[in-house]
Amino acid sequence: MRSDTLILREIINLLQAQVLVGNGLLDTIEVERCFSADLMSDVLGRTYANGILVTGITNPQAVRTADIADIRAVCVVRGKTPDPDTVALAKQKEIPLFVTKMTMFEACGILYMNGLRGVAER
């Protein structure tokens, strides 16, 4: 196991992800925590100190939730394609958005094995 912090570029490489928004932020944003959910109300009940959201949700609600919860980045799993409105909102809010072909289970397992931890309840 590695350190307890990863920069976004490391996460992109580990998850073999395609960046849709935030290429310029990949070397500046550090992530310490990970949370995975498809139910955005579950996301809002947690604390995200330097967290990333791993989700199968492709609509703008994922980015809106990330913005409200101060989540640093959003990773969409299972190779799903986010809606154009989702990509536009991520650009507007400057929230990195990327896609991996991995399942949610695989993505979270890889991030955990590389030092990220879960989030705490509020």
Side-chain angles (χ1 to χ4, degrees), residues 22-99:
N23 270 317
L25 301 171
L26 298 183
D27 293 314
T28 60
I29 294 179
E30 291 186 354
V31 177
E32 297 172 2
R33 302 270 176 198
C34 176
F35 188 70
S36 60
D38 285 342
L39 188 59
M40 295 298 100
S41 60
D42 285 348
V43 176
L44 294 173
R46 304 287 176 148
T47 301
Y48 296 91
N50 296 323
I52 183 173
L53 173 62
V54 177
T55 187
I57 299 296
T58 60
N59 64 45
Q61 193 61 32
V63 174
R64 283 191 197 101
T65 301
D67 185 44
I68 291 167
D70 291 325
I71 293 170
R72 306 295 308 257
V74 176
C75 175
V76 177
V77 294
R78 299 187 297 276
K80 292 183 170 187
T81 302
D83 300 341
D85 291 343
T86 305
V87 175
L89 185 60
K91 284 180 186 172
Q92 176 189 344
K93 298 290 185 180
E94 297 182 338
I95 296 174
L97 175 66
F98 47 94
V99 177

